[in-house]
Amino acid sequence: MENLSRRRLLSLGAALGLVGVASSAPAWASAGSATADAAAGTGPQWIWDDLADPLMASMLDNGHVPAINTAWASWVNNNDPLPGGLPAEFAAYLGQVDKLPSWADRAKLTRAADFNRRRDTYLFMLYGLGSGIMSTVIPREARSVYWSAGGADMQDRAAKTFTFGYDLSQLGAFEPTGQFVVTANKTRVVHAAVRHLLPQSPHWRAVADQSVPISAADILVTFHSLGTYVHRKLLEWKVPFPAADQEAFLHSWQVAIHLLGVPDEYIPQTWAEADKQSAQVLTPILTPTTEGIELAEDLLGLTAQIDLGVTRGFLNEFVRYVLSDEVGDWLGLKRDYAAAALVRTAWPAYILFREGLSPVVPATFYMVDQFVRALAMLFLNRGSSGTSTPITIPTGNRPD
């Protein structure tokens, strides 16, 4: 049984483009193994957010959140001044964290933004139909999302999640006129609010294996389902990815994770470290849950709003293509073998033509290209805005 489980993990890890072998001793970045830390009750799985968590508990308990949501609606660009009308304690917190870390490399961030712009098509598909659906088979993430307020409106929740990756991918994301620093700080506050609210939900407590959600370890797992996964898939698809672009792409994610409150010592310093960490802390935990299956159906159902001649079978098979048949089976995605053949021939041909590696325009090029664009816009504020998606702090959990 142990050998069978190990083979399953190796197979799944290979299908997801993750390298390395899962072991019983997770390594958290260059700080070394977390095993000893875990036994002592420390390490990233025992770290939440000492700055934001007590603040948001106070803001929620004292009824300040509606006023904060109103006040910071106009706070969008990185160079926007902090809005007025905020509680003094909350404004002081934002003033403390609303900045890049001292080790941020502006040149690498600029290069990463340019890379993201040139590869936005692949990023849309991998973040949306790869990472987005993978999140539904990460048990802690699926249960936290489902039982929080956002789980009751998945299109709005998907728009907010998509905004994080979209703003990170924008040209000038970290520049004064970009939006990512603000988006990251708002997301960090939302995480803190959820940490206070979810433990009050009897539904979440009944299925959770932790007393407080969204630890630093959980955020790192999510990073691997996004950045590490995308990095490996782009290499697997043979998309041109020079070493300098790879380094810059990682650096943008390092800054992003820092802005979410993860201690720097646990952030992977190289892609080799990230791959090793991912194989140890992401691949082994992937499994279906009742909540995740429903979330996946909700997310894939959203794309029914796109009428471009793309069937649900195409979506199901694309998910299987980028995540594996095993994940597809977990989620009950019905097979469409004609669509499977189309995906496995059209997508590689699409990449070859886009990258100038083939002079032949695939017959399906226009269909695939339009679908990618429509999918991206669908998740941007319900398709009504291509510039920003409002992020609001919840005041409760999923309604009964």
Side-chain angles (χ1 to χ4, degrees):
M1 182 64 70
E2 182 178 347
N3 288 335
L4 178 62
S5 177
R6 184 176 177 82
R7 287 198 299 270
R8 185 189 72 79
L9 292 176
L10 288 170
S11 175
L12 183 58
L16 297 177
L18 305 174
V19 299
V21 179
S23 77
S24 59
W28 293 100
S30 56
S33 171
T35 305
D37 286 344
T42 60
Q45 59 270 65
W46 298 101
I47 294 173
W48 287 271
D49 195 327
D50 289 343
L51 278 178
D53 290 354
L55 171 69
M56 289 315 301
S58 173
M59 295 297 104
L60 284 161
D61 291 345
N62 290 289
H64 294 310
V65 167
I68 293 173
N69 283 332
T70 298
W72 81 356
S74 61
W75 186 46
V76 176
N77 293 333
N78 298 335
N79 61 355
D80 287 344
L82 291 179
L86 296 174
E89 185 182 5
F90 189 81
Y93 161 79
L94 291 182
Q96 181 179 354
V97 300
D98 187 29
K99 57 188 176 183
L100 295 178
S102 60
W103 45 263
D105 186 321
R106 291 279 187 179
K108 288 182 180 179
L109 294 177
T110 298
R111 186 178 187 110
D114 182 62
F115 166 78
N116 289 332
R117 176 187 59 81
R118 289 182 280 114
R119 299 290 181 258
D120 61 354
T121 298
Y122 313 132
L123 296 179
F124 284 143
M125 294 298 279
L126 286 172
Y127 284 146
L129 291 179
S131 302
I133 301 302
M134 192 195 300
S135 71
T136 68
V137 292
I138 300 175
R140 284 184 174 180
E141 185 167 351
R143 287 166 173 153
S144 292
V145 168
Y146 186 88
W147 292 113
S148 66
D153 185 348
M154 278 309 293
Q155 182 158 347
D156 183 67
R157 175 63 167 73
K160 290 177 170 61
T161 302
F162 192 89
T163 289
F164 187 89
Y166 182 81
D167 287 352
L168 176 61
S169 301
Q170 286 301 287
L171 197 63
F174 295 91
E175 296 299 320
T177 55
Q179 298 180 358
F180 183 74
V181 177
V182 170
T183 294
N185 278 306
K186 287 185 175 183
T187 302
R188 181 176 177 179
V189 166
V190 170
H191 285 171
V194 171
R195 290 189 193 103
H196 183 63
L197 293 168
L198 260 188
Q200 302 173 35
S201 165
H203 307 291
W204 179 79
R205 291 199 308 271
V207 296
D209 64 351
Q210 54 188 165
S211 58
V212 179
I214 320 179
S215 68
D218 295 332
I219 293 174
L220 285 164
V221 167
T222 299
F223 153 66
H224 290 306
S225 75
L226 291 159
T228 306
Y229 164 73
V230 167
H231 173 253
R232 295 303 308 170
K233 276 297 179 183
L234 292 178
L235 292 176
E236 177 187 316
W237 288 347
K238 295 181 171 54
V239 174
F241 206 172
D245 283 351
Q246 294 184 49
E247 185 177 355
F249 183 64
L250 174 60
H251 189 67
S252 68
W253 272 106
Q254 289 169 331
V255 174
I257 298 167
H258 169 92
L259 291 174
L260 291 179
V262 174
D264 291 348
E265 61 264 30
Y266 295 112
I267 299 174
Q269 298 302 298
T270 65
W271 280 121
E273 284 185 5
D275 287 332
K276 179 181 179 182
Q277 193 181 97
S278 180
Q280 293 175 336
V281 304
L282 172 63
T283 307
I285 68 171
L286 297 177
T287 195
T289 61
T290 301
E291 294 86 354
I293 292 171
E294 185 171 332
L295 291 177
E297 184 60 32
D298 287 346
L299 286 169
L300 290 171
L302 293 176
T303 57
Q305 301 174 45
I306 305 173
D307 185 16
L308 296 173
V310 177
T311 67
R312 173 61 188 269
F314 177 92
L315 292 171
N316 287 354
E317 293 300 335
F318 196 91
V319 170
R320 287 175 175 274
Y321 176 62
V322 296
L323 290 184
S324 78
D325 282 331
E326 183 170 20
V327 172
D329 291 344
W330 285 348
L331 298 175
L333 303 183
K334 293 181 180 179
R335 296 306 310 257
D336 184 327
Y337 292 102
L342 174 63
V343 168
R344 284 160 172 73
T345 55
W347 188 251
Y350 177 77
I351 292 176
L352 285 173
F353 182 75
R354 277 190 60 91
E355 296 304 321
L357 301 175
S358 170
V360 180
V361 182
T364 56
F365 180 86
Y366 180 76
M367 180 271 290
V368 174
D369 200 54
Q370 289 298 103
F371 174 71
V372 172
R373 303 299 171 180
L375 181 71
M377 290 307 299
L378 173 67
F379 291 121
L380 287 175
N381 198 20
R382 301 181 184 272
S384 64
S385 172
T387 57
S388 65
T389 298
I391 296 176
T392 54
I393 305 168
T395 57
N397 297 310
R398 184 187 183 101
D400 287 335

